[in-house]
Amino acid sequence: MGNTNEAPAKVAFKINGMSCAACANRIEKSLSAIPGVAQANVNLAIEKATISFDPKRVSLDDFIKTVTNLGYSVGTDKVTLKLYGMTCAACANRIEKRLAGLPGVIGAVVNFAAENVSVEYIPAQITPAEMIKVVSDMGYKAVRADDTESVDREKEEREKEVRRQTMLFIIAAVFSLPLLSVMFFELLGVHPPELLMNPYFQFALATPVQFFPGLQFYRGAYHALKAKSANMDVLIAMGTSAAYFYSVAITFFGEGPVYFESAAVIITLILLGKLLEAIAKGRTSEAIKKLMGLQPKTARVIREGQEVDIPIEQVLVGDLILVRPGEKVPVDGIIQSGTSTVDESMLTGESIPVDKGPGDEVIGATINKHGSFKFEATKVGKDTALAQIVKLVEDAQGSKAPIQRLADIISGYFVPAVVGFALLTFAAWYFSRGDFTTALINFTAVLVIACPCALGLATPTAIMVGTGKGAEHGILIKGGEYLEKAHQITAVVLDKTGTITTGKPTVTDIIAVDQGSDEEVLRLGAIAERGSEHPLGVAIVESAKAKELELGEPESFEAIPGYGVRAVVEGREILFGNHKLMQDAKIDIRMLQDQIELLESQGKTVMTMAVDGRAMGVVAVADTIKETSAEAIKEIQQMGIEVYMITGDNRRTAQAIAEQVGITNILAEVLPENKAEEVQKLQAQGDVVAMVGDGINDAPALAAADVGMAIGTGTDVAMAAADITLMRGDLRGIVDSIRLSKQTMRIVKQNLFWAFAYNSAGIPIAALGYLSPMLAGAAMAMSSVSVVSNSLRLKRFKPR
């Protein structure tokens, strides 16, 4: 991000999180204290900061950092622009640098493979329209992605580009083939027809190729040089122009061999490469198109007692919608009446249909199999799960993996270095041999072979296919960096409840003492837990309801995280929780100790109840282990990764559960707020840690981990904090995520190796005179196609 060099400059931006005048004053003072700031005003009413400053001494980044460090956030927005006209990684780097340098832009990331740019910006400073104009002034075309969000428009643009490249290739091929045939006649030892050898005839064939299909290279080179940079177009334009204009000079003003065929055939071969690349690149974003195509076009809404078919865009929150057998669920909602089974494989990757009835949630784009039902729409438009998944995948495909930075840095310096090397090649051949023709041919070959297209496509194509493939199988990856990081994981920390276990515990044992009855212990425990959202509390309430016990409301209720609850029920003080709660309250539970130990050794969670300071009994709750947990944990361990179980349960209970799934590393009696600390301890040992959880109290640990994985059946908060979301709620998704990461990174490294190797080997071969310009053009075109094709091999990835 940069700023203009004029002083003084002014910037205005929105600040979120201010609650009073003291907040505004604090921010204002901090901003005013920054060296280079002439004046800073913070307006609480409109939540805006206005700053006059010297851009040579301070930048917008400094202001944002200051506001963020104070605990507030700057109001930024994000826009994705679809880009047209990029030819190589150097183009992408130019656009990225130019946009990132605009006043008001926080950051810009160009994805060459996806042909788009994601820009974070301050709306008060700059608009997407201004960004589009800047891109246009650079010689490219940009439109807002939300103007092209429909599958049809995206497909239309892709097909239009393929048609354009096909037409240009055919024109170039028709004019170039007679020129190329001369080479075949010579290879066969047959003298070519005189007409084909006539330099004027060759000039007539080569000129339309040079300035009609080849015009795009001149246009691109002009804009690149105008911006004081160089890209693939510069190399192609220089190389083919050298051969063409030298041949023109010989034809009209001198004598000697001409090289019209070299210029024309190079352009033709590069156009063929661009055509194949456009077709292949279209396949890398198929996952997004497939997801977007899942959305049904209409919904059958009940309004004023009538069934009406309306476009999906017109569905409102609160609408009652009827879904018949075989139809897609139009939007997200809650079933009001009717039962059915729903195929949710598009969301979870799980092929077995799920039973649904009143009160159950249904997700838009899932398929209703058998019964009919009516449901109330709760999320529509961009708020639906499908829309969120599409956005997540789009963001991930638009992000950069750290490994790509290396390629970006190299390609930024590569083209100018190649031009310099080509000039040295020309000079070396010309001055050592005195042969202008040979020097020119080798100069051209070096320029053509060195185009860094493959380098720019190596990482983003693989990341696009990898994230898309993950989404198809219920693995949602937030960005390229997490897809890259996952293959480095050395330790996996699994939360117990809802992750290893189903998270739906049931009451198994009730033991009463002190003349109490089992029913009374359960009834008082259920009343005390009525205000709790903890799965154990819910299980106790449900058990009491199933026994039709009369449940009133507690007079007071307090949840004690990691310990239990304190409540007043019918005038009596109830303490209900683990042994630590009893210990802290100095409750004597010795008479229950043997029963507690026995139940805990069976893997049950035991909650002790005390009434008015005296132990009254215990309730044991068991949470069943998911069928696939043990299998998944074994597979993770076979990958050489250490597996840890983290839980608030006491060590004895935790040990019993861990033994059932084959875990030896147990982190027991960990309070929710300390889970992140345990993750950090493992990181301090040098481990790359993945944290897997599903609850609100897992969010800090998910955020602290190198890779946070949320079980998709859990809470929205956990999913928001996670880097990877496993929609199936199955721990085998961890194995699949790591496998997908390993496979993607293997493809990326192969792509980068061959892109580097190809240029590293090709340039000296061309410089030494062992590579004709035509072969260089063919090799350059095919290198890009091979990189994209290699990335497409990821489409064969299948989960276990």
Side-chain angles (χ1 to χ4, degrees):
M1 208 224 70
N3 283 293
T4 59
N5 289 321
E6 296 171 14
K10 220 173 201 185
V11 67
F13 51 83
K14 189 173 170 59
I15 296 178
N16 300 323
M18 293 190 293
S19 57
C20 64
C23 297
N25 290 339
R26 189 164 154 241
I27 297 168
E28 189 169 285
K29 276 181 186 173
S30 298
L31 290 171
S32 300
I34 299 172
V37 171
Q39 189 180 18
N41 295 310
V42 177
N43 187 320
L44 176 65
I46 57 172
E47 297 180 317
K48 198 184 226 181
T50 308
I51 307 165
S52 297
F53 65 101
D54 178 357
K56 290 175 185 173
R57 297 180 64 198
V58 67
S59 72
L60 183 56
D61 277 343
D62 299 315
F63 305 145
I64 291 167
K65 210 174 281 177
T66 300
V67 172
T68 307
N69 288 343
L70 288 169
Y72 305 94
S73 63
V74 171
T76 63
D77 212 339
K78 265 191 176 179
V79 67
T80 301
L81 304 178
K82 194 81 185 148
L83 300 172
Y84 301 96
M86 290 192 297
T87 55
C88 67
C91 297
N93 287 342
R94 274 183 62 221
I95 296 170
E96 187 170 285
K97 280 181 186 170
R98 184 77 181 90
L99 288 174
L102 295 174
V105 170
I106 309 297
V109 177
V110 173
N111 186 323
F112 176 48
E115 297 178 322
N116 64 29
V117 58
S118 178
V119 187
E120 187 179 1
Y121 66 100
I122 294 172
Q125 282 295 105
I126 193 167
T127 64
E130 289 169 311
M131 297 174 208
I132 288 167
K133 186 179 183 307
V134 167
V135 173
S136 178
D137 290 344
M138 292 175 74
Y140 305 96
K141 182 186 170 190
V143 292
R144 283 188 69 141
D146 48 18
D147 293 339
T148 59
E149 264 181 2
S150 78
V151 183
D152 297 335
R153 176 69 187 269
E154 174 67 35
K155 190 179 174 189
E156 190 185 304
E157 290 289 346
R158 183 70 65 187
E159 286 174 354
K160 187 177 166 187
E161 174 63 12
V162 169
R163 280 197 304 272
R164 190 179 80 86
Q165 293 295 351
T166 303
M167 180 195 73
L168 292 173
F169 168 68
I170 290 169
I171 292 167
V174 166
F175 283 97
S176 299
L177 273 173
L179 296 170
L180 188 62
S181 67
V182 173
M183 188 175 75
F184 288 114
F185 279 119
E186 287 173 352
L187 284 171
L188 294 168
V190 179
H191 188 72
E194 284 301 320
L195 179 65
L196 290 179
M197 296 300 290
N198 186 306
Y200 294 101
F201 180 69
Q202 290 192 5
F203 167 76
L205 289 172
T207 301
V209 177
Q210 192 73 27
F211 298 108
F212 181 44
L215 182 63
Q216 60 182 307
F217 302 117
Y218 284 108
R219 194 182 288 124
Y222 165 73
H223 286 294
L225 294 170
K226 186 180 164 191
K228 296 176 184 171
S229 72
N231 64 357
M232 163 191 154
D233 294 321
V234 172
L235 299 181
I236 303 298
M238 280 181 72
T240 58
S241 295
Y244 174 80
F245 286 112
Y246 170 74
S247 301
V248 169
I250 291 295
T251 301
F252 292 101
F253 307 109
E255 284 183 14
V258 292
Y259 296 95
F260 286 118
E261 82 282 356
S262 287
V265 172
I266 286 168
I267 287 172
T268 305
L269 288 169
I270 288 165
L271 288 172
L272 173 62
K274 286 176 78 68
L275 170 61
L276 294 173
E277 188 184 301
I279 294 166
K281 274 160 73 177
R283 290 182 61 205
T284 62
S285 57
E286 272 176 11
I288 284 281
K289 291 176 195 167
K290 203 181 282 184
L291 285 168
M292 290 168 79
L294 291 171
Q295 183 76 58
K297 301 283 187 286
T298 60
R300 187 171 292 109
V301 178
I302 299 166
R303 287 186 178 164
E304 296 173 6
Q306 299 291 313
E307 290 179 19
V308 190
D309 283 337
I310 61 170
I312 196 83
E313 296 79 17
Q314 293 176 20
V315 176
L316 304 172
V317 171
D319 273 341
L320 195 62
I321 300 167
L322 174 65
V323 184
R324 294 192 176 123
E327 292 181 341
K328 283 185 178 178
V329 177
V331 294
D332 299 2
I334 304 289
I335 294 179
Q336 300 298 310
S337 62
T339 58
S340 184
T341 56
V342 176
D343 178 356
E344 296 185 337
S345 57
M346 55 69 61
L347 185 76
T348 63
E350 184 61 66
S351 57
I352 301 167
V354 182
D355 292 332
K356 298 284 184 179
D360 288 335
E361 186 182 14
V362 285
I363 304 293
T366 54
I367 301 167
N368 180 33
K369 300 298 278 185
H370 302 298
S372 295
F373 59 85
K374 291 175 186 174
F375 76 96
E376 182 186 335
T378 55
K379 290 179 182 175
V380 299
K382 290 185 177 180
D383 295 327
T384 63
L386 179 64
Q388 294 296 314
I389 290 169
V390 169
K391 186 173 187 318
L392 190 80
V393 177
E394 281 178 336
D395 289 348
Q397 293 189 341
S399 67
K400 279 192 180 179
I403 198 168
Q404 193 177 337
R405 290 180 197 135
L406 174 67
D408 287 349
I409 291 164
I410 290 170
S411 59
Y413 292 105
F414 193 75
V415 177
V418 166
V419 172
F421 190 77
L423 290 168
L424 277 174
T425 301
F426 178 86
W429 279 97
Y430 182 69
F431 291 114
S432 66
R433 296 277 187 90
D435 184 348
F436 182 85
T437 302
T438 305
L440 181 73
I441 292 299
N442 294 339
F443 166 80
T444 304
V446 169
L447 288 176
V448 173
I449 195 73
C451 290
C453 301
L455 205 56
L457 290 166
T459 305
T461 50
I463 295 293
M464 285 176 73
V465 180
T467 49
K469 202 67 194 169
E472 278 180 39
H473 296 292
I475 302 165
L476 303 182
I477 302 162
K478 266 192 186 171
E481 63 189 284
Y482 308 116
L483 184 58
E484 179 178 337
K485 197 79 176 172
H487 85 289
Q488 300 168 345
I489 291 167
T490 58
V492 172
V493 179
L494 302 173
D495 179 54
K496 180 182 78 76
T497 308
T499 303
I500 294 174
T501 64
T502 59
K504 291 180 181 174
T506 53
V507 173
T508 56
D509 303 84
I510 305 165
I511 300 166
V513 293
D514 200 21
Q515 281 98 42
S517 69
D518 292 356
E519 279 195 355
E520 186 65 1
V521 170
L522 181 61
R523 189 182 75 84
L524 290 174
I527 295 171
E529 290 282 4
R530 285 198 85 165
S532 172
E533 292 178 1
H534 194 284
L536 297 179
V538 172
I540 289 163
V541 172
E542 283 180 1
S543 178
K545 283 180 180 174
K547 292 187 176 179
E548 297 181 353
L549 300 178
E550 204 173 303
L551 303 180
E553 292 291 333
E555 283 107 78
S556 71
F557 169 82
E558 180 196 353
I560 307 166
Y563 292 90
V565 299
R566 179 185 283 112
V568 175
V569 176
E570 297 165 2
R572 292 182 284 177
E573 187 186 27
I574 308 288
L575 278 178
F576 193 32
N578 59 23
H579 70 275
K580 276 191 174 180
L581 182 66
M582 299 298 133
Q583 210 173 338
D584 289 355
K586 297 184 171 51
I587 307 290
D588 183 7
I589 57 169
R590 282 175 296 179
M591 76 290 288
L592 288 165
Q593 201 62 48
D594 290 344
Q595 290 96 323
I596 291 170
E597 286 178 13
L598 177 65
L599 293 168
E600 285 177 350
S601 69
Q602 295 166 357
K604 296 170 182 176
T605 300
V606 179
M607 299 176 72
T608 308
M609 178 182 290
V611 178
D612 292 332
R614 292 182 65 185
M616 185 176 179
V618 294
V619 177
V621 178
D623 186 1
T624 53
I625 291 167
K626 290 177 184 174
E627 286 178 21
T628 55
S629 289
E631 178 194 337
I633 287 160
K634 188 179 177 185
E635 286 188 38
I636 296 167
Q637 290 166 335
Q638 284 170 347
M639 288 176 157
I641 297 168
E642 285 289 329
V643 180
Y644 295 79
M645 184 179 85
I646 194 165
T647 177
D649 286 349
N650 64 68
R651 180 156 290 277
R652 197 181 296 109
T653 305
Q655 185 80 43
I657 297 287
E659 280 174 8
Q660 290 178 57
V661 291
I663 294 176
T664 53
N665 302 309
I666 303 162
L667 305 171
E669 299 178 23
V670 179
L671 294 173
E673 62 269 25
N674 296 335
K675 286 183 179 179
E677 285 175 26
E678 294 295 333
V679 167
Q680 286 158 354
K681 280 179 193 172
L682 290 173
Q683 289 170 325
Q685 293 172 21
D687 278 314
V688 176
V689 182
M691 170 69 198
V692 188
D694 77 324
I696 290 172
N697 58 21
D698 297 323
L702 290 169
D706 296 289
V707 181
M709 295 188 187
I711 296 292
T713 46
T715 66
D716 289 345
V717 177
M719 288 163 69
D723 308 315
I724 297 175
T725 300
L726 310 174
M727 298 302 292
R728 266 191 299 182
D730 183 337
L731 294 191
R732 287 177 300 184
I734 302 168
V735 180
D736 292 331
S737 302
I738 296 168
R739 281 181 55 243
L740 179 61
S741 171
K742 285 185 174 178
Q743 218 163 312
T744 304
M745 293 318 297
R746 188 158 55 243
I747 295 281
V748 167
K749 284 169 185 172
Q750 286 169 2
N751 286 350
L752 287 172
F753 171 79
W754 288 113
F756 280 124
Y758 155 82
N759 281 320
S760 304
I763 292 171
I765 290 169
L768 292 168
Y770 295 117
L771 194 64
S772 77
M774 282 186 283
L775 284 174
M780 194 280 289
M782 289 306 109
S783 70
S784 295
V785 177
S786 66
V787 160
V788 179
S789 302
N790 193 39
S791 294
L792 288 170
R793 289 197 301 122
L794 274 169
K795 293 177 84 69
R796 298 203 291 263
F797 174 84
K798 282 186 172 61
R800 286 191 190 279

